[in-house]
């Protein structure tokens, strides 16, 4: 199978990836689902921070902070820093290990067991509500389990690759 990125030099690959990301993000700007997610996020932030101006003020705060972060990242990149460490620094990269996510799964399963007890005792609309919550929790649990598998594979690959491409002293 031919991969157009396989034959590129590292600098060309970085530029191609950058262009691909820019393209995807520009497509997202015209995506109503993306806009809904952003608005939902602003509403969630407003609920947590309780801005006096409501959701609109939350959006302004998000915009202001994003502009500040973007400025810092761009400045660091101009100074020669690479993007991935910068993203980790500001908390945008995945830093959880498989063990961390596995603990989340176990905690969620514990909550699900408690909900199941509530479900057995409930009746009518309350039972339907708990049933919906259990369905959501099951979906989240399955996603987390998949994430654990992926992280374990990634960690195993990193261990297997450790030391590869190093030259031996003669």
């Amino acid at each position: 199978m031919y991969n157009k990125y396989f034959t590129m030099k590292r600098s060309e690959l970085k530029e191609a990836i950058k262009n691909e990301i820019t393209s995807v993000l520009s497509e997202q700007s015209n995506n109503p689902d993306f806009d809904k997610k952003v608005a939902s996020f602003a509403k969630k932030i407003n609920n947590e921070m309780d801005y006096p101006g409501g959701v609109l003020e939350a959006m302004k705060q998000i915009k202001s902070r994003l502009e500040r972060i973007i400025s810092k990242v761009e400045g660091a990149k101009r100074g020669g820093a690479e993007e991935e460490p910068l993203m980790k620094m500001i908390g945008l990269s995945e830093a959880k290990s498989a063990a961390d996510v596995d603990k989340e799964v176990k905690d969620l399963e514990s909550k699900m067991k408690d909900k199941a007890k509530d479900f057995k005792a409930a009746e009518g609309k309350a039972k339907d509500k708990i049933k919906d919550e259990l369905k959501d929790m099951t979906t989240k649990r399955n996603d987390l389990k998949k994430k654990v598998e992926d992280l374990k594979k990634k960690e195993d690959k990193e261990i297997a690759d450790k030391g590869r491409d190093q030259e031996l002293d003669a």
Side-chain angles (χ1 to χ4, degrees), residues 125-137:
K125 289 185 179 185
K127 194 167 193 159
D128 290 338
K129 183 180 177 191
I130 294 171
K131 180 180 165 185
D132 292 339
E133 289 174 10
L134 281 168
K135 284 182 180 180
D136 292 341
M137 292 170 107

Side-chain angles (χ1 to χ4, degrees), residues 4-138:
K4 68 180 180 181
Y5 299 118
F6 187 71
T7 58
M8 292 182 175
K9 293 179 185 176
R10 188 178 187 128
S11 60
E12 292 172 336
L13 178 62
K14 283 183 178 181
E15 190 62 32
I17 291 171
K18 181 180 173 184
N19 291 337
E20 186 72 24
I21 290 170
T22 304
S23 169
V24 169
L25 290 176
S26 67
E27 289 172 14
Q28 290 293 335
S29 67
N30 296 323
N31 184 339
D33 290 337
F34 184 77
D35 294 344
K36 286 178 186 174
K37 286 181 181 181
V38 170
S40 174
F41 177 69
K43 185 175 180 180
K44 179 180 176 186
I45 293 292
N46 181 54
N47 290 341
E48 291 176 12
M49 305 300 283
D50 195 29
Y51 289 113
V55 177
L56 181 60
E57 182 60 29
M59 287 180 179
K60 289 178 182 178
Q61 291 293 326
I62 291 167
K63 178 184 175 196
S64 166
R65 284 174 172 76
L66 279 174
E67 287 171 346
R68 194 171 342 140
I69 291 169
I70 289 168
S71 173
K72 286 181 182 180
V73 171
E74 286 176 341
K77 283 183 78 171
R78 279 191 298 275
E82 292 193 21
E83 190 167 330
E84 187 59 29
L86 293 170
M87 293 301 137
K88 283 183 181 176
M89 183 179 75
I90 59 175
L92 292 180
S93 288
E94 191 64 41
K96 291 184 178 179
S97 68
D100 293 336
V101 179
D102 195 42
K103 183 180 180 317
E104 284 184 48
V105 171
K106 286 181 177 31
D107 292 343
L108 184 59
E109 286 174 340
S110 174
K111 290 178 185 175
M112 289 174 73
K113 287 177 185 176
D114 293 339
K115 280 284 182 194
K117 290 176 186 173
D118 295 342
F119 177 77
K120 288 179 183 177
E123 292 183 15
K125 289 185 179 185
K127 194 167 193 159
D128 290 338
K129 183 180 177 191
I130 294 171
K131 180 180 165 185
D132 292 339
E133 289 174 10
L134 281 168
K135 284 182 180 180
D136 292 341
M137 292 170 107
T138 301

Side-chain angles (χ1 to χ4, degrees), residues 94-106 144-156 158:
E94 191 64 41
K96 291 184 178 179
S97 68
D100 293 336
V101 179
D102 195 42
K103 183 180 180 317
E104 284 184 48
V105 171
K106 286 181 177 31
L144 287 172
K145 282 186 174 183
K146 171 91 170 88
K147 191 173 182 178
V148 168
E149 289 175 23
D150 293 344
L151 287 170
K152 283 183 180 177
K153 286 179 187 174
K154 182 179 176 185
E155 289 171 2
D156 290 345
E158 287 174 359

